[in-house]
Amino acid sequence: MSKVDDFRRLHHGRLPGDPLVLPGPWDAASARVFAEAGFPALATPSAGVAASLGYADGRTPAGEMFAAVARIVRAVDVPVSADVEGGYGLAPQELVERLLETGAVGCNLEDSVDGVLKDPREHAEWLAEVRRAAGDRLFVNARIDTFAHGDGDPGQAIERAAAYVAAGADCVYPIGAPAAVLPLLRSGILGPLNAGGRVDGEGPSPAGLGELGATRVTFGPGLQRRATAALREISAELV
């Protein structure tokens, strides 16, 4: 079984309370830590990678992001999915080719630009082009930004999810959706559902998010930021 087939399999047949937990490595060293801990797959966070490279979130040049993803992939044996934001303005075919060159098995693609939601039909058409270019070689996670940059209407999130799934997305991610809304989203969305977890002890645990309907849980830059906070404490003790 190929890594992408293994990654896709991990999203199906999940029991309530047992979501796929995907920590987000920001460099090769953190990727090795997560793989050695026993996680079956990883999902890079664009904001965490940006911070490790010295950029603000959303400002990483495409070449540097793909190079960082490639280093992470080379460091571990488990499947790695890559957050490549809005695709960096690349045509679908080139985006897919560059992702495959890194060795990534999947990608996270968002439906907003500079905090403004894209037209859902146009975005669905673009996702369909990505799907055609990728075939079954990439697992596509379509991020839905209605809670982050829209009015937070669950109905709108469900409508976007339906359009993206119809376009070929393997999973949808309504980023920023309150935990209390997950059961409603679950009832209206076909296929795997990504929820955002926290590492600060606030909100439901990954198992709790699974019980509310999440198929998989990712943490964005949360782990990188927690590691940075720990380094600050260590540094303060050394000064």
Side-chain angles (χ1 to χ4, degrees):
M1 181 181 293
S2 69
K3 282 188 177 180
V4 65
D5 289 336
D6 187 35
F7 189 65
R8 187 170 282 113
R9 177 188 58 78
L10 288 169
H11 289 76
H12 294 280
R14 312 294 314 187
L15 297 174
D18 181 34
L20 174 61
V21 178
L22 298 173
W26 55 94
D27 60 13
S30 59
R32 289 194 184 101
V33 169
F34 298 139
E36 289 168 1
F39 290 99
L42 309 175
T44 69
S46 61
V49 173
S52 75
L53 297 174
Y55 293 102
D57 184 19
R59 295 294 179 262
T60 308
E64 292 198 43
M65 182 62 76
F66 288 119
V69 170
R71 288 191 293 271
I72 289 169
V73 171
R74 287 197 301 269
V76 296
D77 292 327
V78 299
V80 177
S81 182
D83 182 350
V84 288
E85 304 176 273
Y88 306 111
L90 300 173
Q93 184 67 45
E94 183 178 0
L95 175 62
V96 167
E97 289 174 356
R98 296 189 71 174
L99 277 164
L100 292 173
E101 286 172 357
T102 70
V105 301
C107 59
N108 192 76
L109 296 167
E110 56 199 50
D111 67 350
S112 66
V113 178
D114 295 329
V116 178
L117 289 170
K118 296 179 182 179
D119 178 272
R121 286 174 294 182
E122 292 179 1
H123 188 61
E125 291 173 359
W126 182 77
L127 286 174
E129 292 182 33
V130 173
R131 177 82 282 158
R132 283 193 291 273
D136 61 0
R137 297 176 295 170
L138 288 173
F139 184 97
V140 177
N141 186 38
R143 202 178 91 174
I144 299 169
D145 287 1
T146 54
F147 294 95
H149 302 304
D151 61 8
D153 176 15
Q156 185 181 149
I158 290 172
E159 289 177 4
R160 284 176 176 261
Y164 302 162
V165 169
D170 297 286
C171 181
V172 295
Y173 179 19
I175 190 170
V181 178
L182 285 178
L184 176 60
L185 296 176
R186 175 71 285 167
S187 68
I189 292 176
L190 295 176
L193 174 64
N194 192 149
R198 300 184 61 165
V199 297
D200 58 3
E202 299 293 328
S205 66
L209 291 171
E211 290 171 354
L212 291 171
T215 306
R216 79 181 210 177
V217 177
T218 54
F219 305 92
L223 288 158
Q224 181 270 331
R225 290 172 179 171
R226 183 167 177 177
T228 298
L231 282 173
R232 287 197 182 99
E233 293 180 5
I234 295 169
S235 297
E237 295 173 358
L238 297 175
V239 171

